[in-house]
Amino acid sequence: MERPSRPGPSERAVPGHDAPWLDADEQRAWRAYLRMQGRLAATLNRQLQIESGLSLADYEVLVHLTDTPEARLRPYELQWALQWEQSRLSHHLTRMRRRGLVEREECSDDGRGAFVVLTEKGRQAITAAAPGHVGVVRRFFFDGLSREEVALLERLATRILGRLDDADGEPGDDAG
Amino acid sequence: MERPSRPGPSERAVPGHDAPWLDADEQRAWRAYLRMQGRLAATLNRQLQIESGLSLADYEVLVHLTDTPEARLRPYELQWALQWEQSRLSHHLTRMRRRGLVEREECSDDGRGAFVVLTEKGRQAITAAAPGHVGVVRRFFFDGLSREEVALLERLATRILGRLDDADGEPGDDAG
DNA sequence: GCAACATACATGACGCGTCATTTATTTCAC
DNA sequence: GTGAAATAAATGACGCGTCATGTATGTTGC
């Protein structure tokens, strides 16, 4: 979705600030990525919603809770695991609490904090949702990829995540 | 609605399992993808918002308009290009119109329809926003990838997109 | 022991995205 | 032509996500 490509060669070796536009290859890749990501997320959300009444966000929260021995976590732990904004998590937990998927429990060690506890209803919800959801993930995503491609994809995602993490502390965030 | 875990042709046959759960490699890749995608989208949105007052959605609409000779498109053309839901596009165009980024123009050929026209303000907005935005896309995304990886990524995204498209017309999507 | 600061979490406002529905027009069968 | 169905687009309701801010508790320097 970038602007006109530079007519230039396919060699892009320009470090950072210098190259304003994406070349033709990059543009195609970027557009394909954006479209794929948007459609995939929409598909996963819709399927989860229809079959289980959960959103993808709900699902991820519940997954992390069920991954935990006591099925309870401090919000800041969930925040770290999900890489969400704090207020997003807070709002979302409020809504999930309202629907009975999780409960809030006071934290004796730290008066400021709390625990998010999985309810029985929450456990049943994700138990019922998981097979269908994983089926769709597999159908649209993994069934189209070889194991090598899956491995490469993980490496790329991790690398880009690292770049995003690196930028978090730095002051010179300018790009223009 | 819970579905019986009947092993249909669309779900992978898993030896010895009712539920087609992801194996360890797939799970790591999937979580890495989800985290990367979420963080990257948040970063791009934030930078665009701060530097230009645009969202990524605004940006994509404006890109498609500027890609057009007359800088005007029918909403259904935009919808096809963006692969958005119709009501999302309609709502978004309403908001962009309110902000003066686009205008609505009646369509003489088809009384039901309209044209979305780029305004001067809209053109200035994307012109101002583009270098910074592309800089961030490059910084976090393409600078971390080799040309081979970019090419592969495009292929994977296109392939997955194809699977999503294929499923659109089929009735046997779910519903056991 | 107290001011200054940091941390954990909540909240209100507001823009965004989806679903369901509505309106207006066009197309097509007959 | 007339009625049925398809198409273009808008709208209201409602949940989601971000920003800015608020509140309570913990920590630290002195």
Side-chain angles (χ1 to χ4, degrees), chain A residues 12-176:
Chain A
R12 140 180 90 75
V14 190
H17 309 68
D18 237 311
W21 308 119
L22 303 177
D23 64 37
D25 291 346
E26 290 167 331
Q27 245 186 87
R28 284 199 323 278
W30 184 241
R31 290 194 187 201
Y33 166 77
L34 283 181
R35 277 172 73 132
M36 181 275 279
Q37 167 301 304
R39 291 276 314 263
L40 182 60
T43 300
L44 296 181
N45 259 305
R46 193 151 22 230
Q47 180 269 346
L48 262 177
Q49 187 61 49
I50 291 173
E51 282 192 19
S52 328
L54 297 177
S55 66
L56 187 51
D58 297 330
Y59 188 88
E60 294 186 50
V61 169
L62 293 176
V63 161
H64 280 285
L65 283 174
T66 51
D67 271 353
T68 281
E70 297 287 330
R72 47 185 241 153
L73 286 169
R74 296 288 298 270
Y76 76 87
E77 295 176 304
L78 263 174
Q79 186 188 345
W80 188 90
L82 294 164
Q83 297 275 296
W84 283 3
E85 303 244 333
Q86 183 267 321
S87 67
R88 172 185 180 183
L89 179 60
S90 186
H91 279 303
H92 204 88
L93 290 176
T94 298
R95 292 184 292 251
M96 291 181 73
R97 181 149 25 96
R98 200 170 291 149
R99 291 191 285 150
L101 297 171
V102 298
E103 275 174 355
R104 184 192 163 90
E105 190 179 303
E106 295 308 313
C107 178
S108 47
D109 292 355
D110 190 333
R112 301 165 297 181
F115 282 102
V116 187
V117 190
L118 186 66
T119 63
E120 184 51 32
K121 182 176 177 186
R123 188 179 293 280
Q124 287 177 5
I126 191 172
T127 300
H133 175 63
V134 175
V136 174
V137 171
R138 182 170 292 296
R139 173 180 177 193
F140 291 117
F141 198 79
F142 288 105
D143 279 356
L145 307 179
S146 71
R147 294 204 72 81
E148 293 75 26
E149 288 168 338
V150 170
L152 180 64
L153 190 85
E154 185 200 342
R155 290 196 304 124
L156 301 194
T158 303
R159 200 187 307 158
I160 290 169
L161 214 33
R163 300 178 71 84
L164 290 163
D165 285 337
D166 287 347
D168 265 350
E170 294 172 12
D173 193 72
D174 91 286

Side-chain angles (χ1 to χ4, degrees), chain B residues 128-174:
Chain B
H133 175 63
V134 176
V136 173
V137 171
R138 182 174 292 297
R139 173 179 176 194
F140 291 118
F141 198 78
F142 288 105
D143 281 356
L145 306 179
S146 72
R147 291 204 75 80
E148 292 75 25
E149 287 168 338
V150 170
L152 181 63
L153 190 84
E154 184 200 342
R155 292 218 316 277
L156 301 194
T158 303
R159 200 186 309 159
I160 290 169
L161 214 33
R163 300 178 71 83
L164 290 163
D165 285 337
D166 286 347
D168 263 350
E170 292 172 12
D173 187 290
D174 68 284

Side-chain angles (χ1 to χ4, degrees), chain B residues 66-83:
Chain B
T66 52
D67 270 354
T68 280
E70 297 287 329
R72 49 186 236 149
L73 286 169
R74 296 288 298 269
Y76 76 87
E77 296 176 303
L78 262 174
Q79 185 189 345
W80 188 89
L82 294 164
Q83 298 275 295

Side-chain angles (χ1 to χ4, degrees), chain B residues 96-110:
Chain B
M96 291 182 72
R97 180 150 26 96
R98 199 170 294 149
R99 290 191 287 151
L101 297 171
V102 299
E103 273 173 356
R104 184 193 162 89
E105 190 178 302
E106 295 308 313
C107 178
S108 47
D109 291 356
D110 190 332

Side-chain angles (χ1 to χ4, degrees), chain B residues 73-130:
Chain B
L73 286 169
R74 296 288 298 269
Y76 76 87
E77 296 176 303
L78 262 174
Q79 185 189 345
W80 188 89
L82 294 164
Q83 298 275 295
W84 284 3
E85 303 245 333
Q86 182 266 324
S87 67
R88 173 186 179 183
L89 179 61
S90 186
H91 280 303
H92 204 87
L93 290 176
T94 298
R95 292 185 292 252
M96 291 182 72
R97 180 150 26 96
R98 199 170 294 149
R99 290 191 287 151
L101 297 171
V102 299
E103 273 173 356
R104 184 193 162 89
E105 190 178 302
E106 295 308 313
C107 178
S108 47
D109 291 356
D110 190 332
R112 302 165 295 182
F115 282 103
V116 187
V117 191
L118 185 65
T119 63
E120 184 52 31
K121 183 177 176 184
R123 189 179 292 280
Q124 288 177 4
I126 190 172
T127 301

